[in-house]
Structures are given as C-alpha cells and as structure tokens.
Amino acid sequence: MLTIEHLAKHFPGQIALDDVDLEIAAGQIHALVGQNGSGKSTLIKCLAGYHEPTGDAPATFAPPSGGSAVRFDLAGGAAVDRVGIRFVHQDLALVDGMSAAENLALGSGFTTARMGRIRWSAEVARAEAALSDLGFADFDVRLPVGALTPAQKTAVAIARAVAESDDPAKSNVRLLILDEPTASLPGDDVVRLFTALEQLKARGVAILYVSHHLDEIFRIADVVTVLRDGRRVATKPIAELDHGSLIELMIGREMAAVERPPVSITESSRALVVRGLEGGTVRRLDLDVRAGEIVGVAGITGSGREDVVGLIIGQTPSASGSVSVGGQPVPPYRPRAGIAAGMASLPGDRKRLGIVPLLPVADNITLGNVEGHWRRGRLDRNAELHEAREWVERLSIITAGVLAPIGVLSGGNQQKALFARALRMAPGLLVLDEPTHGIDVGAKADIHELLDHAAADGAAVLVATTDTEELVRLTHRVVVMRGGEAVAELSGADLTVASIEHAQLAPEEAIV
Ligand SMILES: Nc1ncnc2c1ncn2[C@@H]1O[C@H](COP(=O)(O)OP(=O)(O)OP(=O)(O)O)[C@@H](O)[C@H]1O
Ligand SMILES: [Mg+2]
C-alpha cells in the first residue's frame, strides 16, 4: 500500500533518519520499533508533512481504485488526507481548549445547517457514536479535552483518526498510523483498541503501529520493522522473532539479566504515612511506605490509581486525610514542604505537568532545586550545566546538547530528563506516576536498576502504574485499588501479572 524510499531527516547536530526504506502492505499490522530517539516519530512526522525530509524521498501509495500507484511528495501533508492516511501522533495533537466533539470535527469537518451554522447536537451525537464504536463511551464529549484523563484523550485522538469522511476531498482511512497509542492506556482499554484495530485490518486497512510494549507487538503485529540510530536494521515477519531476538535487533546487544540488590527495609522507619486520604477518584486511602521499600499502586482507570500520586504530592486537592513524609506533615499545594521533607515526584502527564518545553534540557533537569549552585549570591551557570551533562550521560539521554530545548527531544528522552530531575534531589521518598511511560526496553531496565539502588540506599519508592509487568519486576508489594479504595495487597509469590489483573476487577467481572 505504501512504499517509502531513501528517507532521511537531519536536524542540527543530529541525524534522526538515515536512508530508510519502508513498505507497508494492505490488511497488515506493521509494527515500528526502536529505542528512544531512534527516529520512529520523525518518520511518521515526515509522512504527515510536518517535517520536510532532507534530500529526495520518493513515496508511493496505492490508489483506492487499484491501477498505478500515486507518487507523492513526503513534504506535502495535504496529500495524505486525499489518499486516506490518518495519524494518531505521540502527543495526540488535540486542542485542549476544545471539546472532544469539536476535536473530532476538526478532522472530518463540521455538520452545518442553513446559513452555515454548525449543528452542535449533531456533532455531539456523532462524537458519541464514534467513541462508543471504539468501546470508549464513558465521558461527556462536550467537556474540554484538557479536562479528560490521558486514556480518554487517546480515545478521542483514535476516534478522530478512524472517523469516516463525507468530504469528497478526503479519502476514508486506508492506512492508520499510531505512534505509541497505548502509552497512557490501561490494560482494559488496550484490549478495546486492539479489537478496533483487528476490525480495521479485516477491512483491508493497513496499520503502522509504534509501541515500546513488546508483548503488544507479539500480540497484534504481522510484520516488524526495527530502527536503530535512524537506520532500518530489519523488517521481518513477527513469526520469525521472539522477545530476545527483537530486543537484540533494537538495542544491538543482548539484554543481561539484572541482579537486584538485597532488600533492606527498616521496619521502624516509615518514610510515607497516608491516612484517610480522600479526593478525586480516591474515596479512602491508608498507606505506608517504609524506607528501602518499593510499593506499587495498581488499578484500572477510575479505580483511584490515577489520583493517588497527585493527592500525595499535594497537587490534587484532597477533601480530607493527611500525608506525612519522614514524620513531617505535607499539606496540599505545598510543594516546598514536600521537597523539604525529602519527597521528589514524577508526574504522569509529561507534557502538561512535567516538561517546560521551551526551556533547555539543563534547566528542566535542575529546576527542582538550584540552591547547590549558588556562589556568593549568584547562580553558577557553569556548575549547573556541568551537573546536567552528568545526568544526560548517566541516563543516556539522547540530545544535541544540554542547551537544546527539551521539547525537541524524543518522548522517551524527555521522560528520562524528568527522572534526572527527581533523582538528583537524592530524595528519601520518590513518588512516581507511570514512570517508564514511553521508555524503551533497554532504558526501562536501566531505570528499574536505578530505582532498585535508590531503594537499597534507603529511599522509599511509591509507583503508580498501569504497567503490571513493571509492578511485578520492580516492587516489593502492590496495593490494588478498586472503586476508590485499596482492596488488595499482593507481595512475594502472590505478586504476579495474573493476580494483579484479577484483583483489579470487581468480583462479578472477574468470573469471566
Ligand atoms: N524538531 C526537532 N529538532 C531537533 N531534533 C529533533 C527534532 N525532532 C526530533 N529530533 C531528534 O531526532 C531524534 C529522533 O527522534 P524521534 O522523536 O523520531 O525518536 P523516537 O524513535 O520517536 O523516540 P521515542 O521512542 O522516545 O518516542 C531524537 O534524537 C530527537 O532528539
Ligand atoms: Mg516517538
């Protein structure tokens, strides 16, 4: 269906894509994988006409009616709409101030009545239908998208991409391109997405799918293309690969099994004490995390899991309850009190709450605290940059330099910089929301190791995540939330992917 030849994209100081060829067949799910910064999103943005490729990059697309292929200019974004290529970008590309219904209409055009007036009720009905076709119909499509959860936003972006068009200038979807659509989707939503993708595939739609979750790749992909450092290193049928060989293609080496440092939990020292906490979707939560312990918080969307971190770090208003860190109370909206008590955190919504896109990588890393770099009343910028460079090195953050604006880094590399921001505070307590969201397998293993060592050195770690495998790998104990309360606690031999997933569901759902 689509053929791209010799695609290259050079940025100042960085080659993002180097002579990449790609062929995508109709009715096939083609996975595109590679480490953070390997060029996946850049390839997709070239196809969308957002980036202009460096040099000539011929692309051809099979026309809907058969016959000879349409050649198009990769820098001509408008052409992709005509041939039926649709996108769900990594940052979703939604307009936060507009409602879900309006965001959908931005893609397909508004329904108008006489005098060109927009028929809002029709728009709302259409958006509701599009979302419920996908199995996501649990929110008000008139709310501004900025107020939705990450999973709901993803649903809006997917619904917009697959919506059929009545506009003769646009073709209906024939190639759907999804850049990490499941990065903020909990497991049950991933299942719904896959059902929708299988249906599209059965209709002959081609799908290009980017994900760092290799289990997803093995579940739905027919063919896999691997990028490494901007080059295509392989395209293979999934049947010819297994986890180990795919990882080796991605990172260029085998992944060594890690040895975890011994657990040294001190019974007496409780780093985090939460009592009767209530707010957002959390109805009542009591929680203790001891020094040296890594505790997970699991739960499907709406269970309370999504608000635990915001409540503990004082970012979400709590209706009642208390949080204390290292014995000191941390009231809501007092980030300073939290920092003073030794708490560092990582927000779940990287784009909105994490990065400051136009500030350099260095400032994004150090902005939590620059006190260490004051010299006689002035900020020692060189020392600050030096420290930032050390973190870039330590976490293998791919960037043209510490002065590059963080917004141009690949998603996973932005996440690593936020990790550096939290870890450099040498915190007694780390509170993390979806910490490895968008991070590749190799870097994820590195981050897990860093957390293991932080805990072995006496830090307490609380991790809320939808990634059940991560919970099993990383934590000593998992608290499972349901209906706003902690309903189960799993540890030792009981801590498995299956037991977490089972405990997340209400008893009546779990029977099936
Ligand atoms: N607008 C830009 N300006 C400068 N450099 C850029 C820009 N966009 C991307 N890059 C660089 O190009 C490289 C490839 O980035 P890209 O976003 O394609 O990676 P990716 O494979 O999608 O990674 P991830 O898995 O982290 O999303 C990165 O090193 C990134 O820093
Ligand atoms: Mg990307």
Side-chain angles (χ1 to χ4, degrees), residues 3-33:
T3 309
I4 300 174
E5 288 167 51
H6 308 303
L7 177 60
K9 178 68 192 169
H10 299 182
F11 291 112
Q14 222 159 19
I15 298 179
L17 290 172
D18 187 8
D19 197 20
V20 172
D21 295 342
L22 187 71
E23 311 80 31
I24 302 172
Q28 227 177 37
I29 301 186
H30 194 125
L32 182 63
V33 300

Side-chain angles (χ1 to χ4, degrees), residues 40-42 90 179-180 210 410-411:
K40 305 178 296 295
S41 297
T42 303
Q90 187 167 11
D179 194 353
E180 291 188 47
V210 176
S410 82

Side-chain angles (χ1 to χ4, degrees), residues 106-282:
L106 284 179
S108 55
F110 289 90
T111 334
T112 48
R114 270 190 312 132
M115 316 279 286
R117 285 219 313 256
I118 295 170
R119 294 182 50 215
W120 287 111
S121 54
E123 284 309 330
V124 166
R126 196 155 69 130
E128 279 169 352
L131 282 157
S132 68
D133 279 355
L134 286 171
F136 299 89
D138 54 350
F139 59 92
D140 186 346
V141 299
R142 290 164 299 187
L143 286 177
V145 160
L148 301 179
T149 66
Q152 291 165 337
K153 288 184 193 174
T154 308
V156 175
I158 295 167
R160 181 174 65 183
V162 301
E164 298 290 314
S165 172
D166 318 322
D167 182 347
K170 292 174 184 165
S171 174
N172 284 326
V173 54
R174 297 180 55 239
L175 167 61
L176 176 63
I177 298 180
L178 303 125
D179 194 353
E180 291 188 47
T182 55
S184 33
L185 281 190
D188 47 335
D189 286 349
V190 173
V191 173
R192 291 192 244 176
L193 172 65
F194 285 180
T195 314
L197 295 184
E198 294 286 354
Q199 281 164 2
L200 289 167
K201 171 181 158 173
R203 276 174 30 203
V205 172
I207 294 164
L208 183 67
Y209 187 88
V210 176
S211 177
H212 289 296
H213 296 291
L214 300 188
D215 51 327
E216 293 177 358
I217 305 288
F218 283 99
R219 216 153 102 202
I220 59 158
D222 300 301
V223 178
V224 188
T225 288
V226 183
L227 292 182
R228 197 197 307 153
D229 302 332
R231 288 167 173 265
R232 177 170 81 161
V233 293
T235 294
K236 289 188 176 208
I238 192 75
E240 288 178 16
L241 293 164
D242 58 24
H243 263 86
S245 54
L246 183 55
I247 290 174
E248 209 176 319
L249 283 171
M250 285 167 65
I251 66 181
R253 58 178 160 91
E254 262 182 73
M255 203 154 65
V258 283
E259 204 155 310
R260 300 194 66 181
V263 186
S264 60
I265 302 169
T266 2
E267 276 304 324
S268 56
S269 68
R270 288 185 301 185
L272 173 68
V273 178
V274 173
R275 289 291 174 269
L277 195 61
E278 190 189 326
T281 49
V282 175

